[in-house]
């Protein structure tokens, strides 16, 4: 999370896969870090907007299916936390922009749709 003038920029830096890509998949750590960033943004009364983007070729590949497969008993609570995060982005009290610089599959696409504006290269 960084700030440029009155705009907060949240750049995703997900876990590296075996193929050396950063896919920014939703897992409990991703959701917790995103929520922590939103907490900070919402406290800042001088903030004019939020831009989300990512490093690499993938904006977000959505749900971390490997984590979900390894933690089947936690999936319901995890999905509820994902839904709360998407709701939080959708109703953020400032304009939000998804700067989609790469692939946005499944849940990543849903996250982008929760923003007020979406731009792609």
């Amino acid at each position: 999370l960084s700030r440029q003038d009155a705009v907060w920029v949240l750049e995703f830096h997900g876990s590296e896969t075996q193929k050396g890509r950063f896919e920014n998949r939703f897992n409990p750590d991703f959701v917790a870090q995103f929520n922590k960033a939103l907490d900070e943004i919402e406290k800042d009364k001088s903030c004019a907007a939020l831009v989300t983007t990512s490093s690499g070729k993938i904006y977000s590949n959505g749900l971390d299916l490997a984590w979900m497969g390894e933690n089947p008993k936690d999936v319901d609570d995890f999905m509820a936390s994902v839904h709360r995060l998407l709701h939080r982005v959708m109703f953020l009290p400032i304009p939000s922009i998804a700067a989609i610089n790469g692939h946005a599959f499944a849940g990543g696409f849903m996250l982008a749709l929760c923003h007020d504006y979406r731009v792609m290269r």
Side-chain angles (χ1 to χ4, degrees):
L1 182 65
S2 63
R3 184 171 172 149
Q4 297 175 8
D5 297 319
V7 177
W8 283 101
V9 178
L10 179 57
E11 185 173 355
F12 307 141
H13 300 282
S15 301
E16 189 172 6
T17 66
Q18 291 177 340
K19 295 180 182 179
R21 292 184 302 218
F22 292 90
E23 297 186 347
N24 306 311
R25 292 182 182 265
F26 297 4
N27 55 42
D29 186 49
F30 180 93
V31 172
Q33 289 180 26
F34 202 132
N35 275 311
K36 183 178 177 184
L38 291 179
D39 290 343
E40 185 171 344
I41 292 163
E42 288 175 339
K43 287 180 199 172
D44 181 359
K45 300 304 178 199
S46 65
C47 180
L50 166 66
V51 175
T52 62
T53 190
S54 69
S55 57
K57 290 180 62 174
I58 298 174
Y59 176 76
S60 174
N61 260 348
L63 297 172
D64 187 339
L65 299 178
W67 181 90
M68 293 173 73
E70 295 166 2
N71 301 277
K73 292 181 181 178
D74 298 323
V75 169
D76 288 342
D77 289 339
F78 169 66
M79 287 306 300
S81 74
V82 170
H83 291 153
R84 284 190 300 273
L85 175 63
L86 295 176
H87 181 271
R88 196 170 176 194
V89 172
M90 188 180 299
F91 292 101
L92 201 62
I94 56 172
S96 59
I97 301 100
I100 307 163
N101 60 321
H103 302 294
F105 295 114
F109 178 70
M110 289 174 54
L111 174 61
L113 286 177
C114 289
H115 289 70
D116 298 306
Y117 303 96
R118 288 149 299 282
V119 293
M120 296 178 68
R121 62 177 168 104

